[in-house]
Amino acid sequence: MIQQLSIIIQNEIGSVAKVTSILKNNNINLRAIASFDTPEFAILRMVVDQPEKTKTLLTDKGYAVTMSEAIAVELCDRPGVLHDLLQIIADADIGLNYIYSIVIRNSKVPLIILNTDNLEKTKAILEEKGYTVAGQEDVVL
């Protein structure tokens, strides 16, 4: 399992850059990022190398931040691989909450980051099916 941060930001020009400037100014390495927007605000999800420090810094700057677990799974770079993984989750009757990816990782295979309604069961089933579930230290670019 990995730790990810979810940050509520205004849906306005420069709002993501404000968050990334805090990371840059505090020497925090951003490893994955996804933004899900609505007309007024967005949820910015990210994986960083220092999640606790990042949460504290962003909270101190007035952001609403939560830290939660997610699963990062290694996938081969070929057609249909993501479908096969998602079908295993669906066949296990596990709901998928969201998904995003890291494609380039220093010549390593891509990672897909996902959150389900039962992370432990998802992790166990995927490992049983031969997937490699990455840890926080494995989420490197």
Side-chain angles (χ1 to χ4, degrees):
M1 304 274 190
I2 62 168
Q3 295 295 316
Q4 70 171 0
L5 300 171
S6 298
I7 305 109
I8 304 296
I9 59 173
Q10 294 298 311
N11 192 0
E12 60 189 26
I13 294 171
S15 60
V16 176
K18 289 177 185 175
V19 172
T20 57
S21 73
I22 294 168
L23 302 181
K24 178 183 177 183
N25 293 337
N26 288 278
N27 201 33
I28 295 169
N29 192 6
L30 179 64
R31 296 190 167 155
I33 188 167
S35 178
F36 307 91
D37 71 334
T38 69
E40 295 178 19
F41 68 92
I43 299 173
L44 185 63
R45 289 200 169 94
M46 60 185 174
V47 178
V48 296
D49 64 342
Q50 301 173 66
E52 294 284 347
K53 178 181 177 180
T54 304
K55 181 180 180 189
T56 300
L57 287 166
L58 292 173
T59 301
D60 290 349
K61 295 284 186 183
Y63 290 95
V65 182
T66 59
M67 189 168 4
S68 60
E69 289 188 322
I71 295 174
V73 183
E74 291 187 355
L75 293 181
C76 297
D77 186 16
R78 66 175 189 266
V81 174
L82 177 60
H83 167 74
D84 294 343
L85 174 110
L86 295 175
Q87 192 62 58
I88 289 168
I89 293 169
D91 289 346
D93 199 31
I94 299 171
L96 180 67
N97 298 325
Y98 54 83
I99 186 170
Y100 57 103
S101 65
I102 303 172
V103 178
I104 300 170
R105 295 179 44 226
N106 283 338
S107 301
K108 295 181 181 180
V109 296
L111 285 176
I112 196 79
I113 298 171
L114 52 95
N115 183 281
T116 67
D117 58 14
N118 189 330
L119 290 172
E120 291 297 332
K121 182 177 178 183
T122 303
K123 180 178 184 245
I125 288 170
L126 292 177
E127 287 177 336
E128 178 182 301
K129 296 286 187 178
Y131 288 89
T132 300
V133 176
Q136 194 83 24
E137 66 283 355
D138 299 315
V139 184
V140 294
L141 300 176

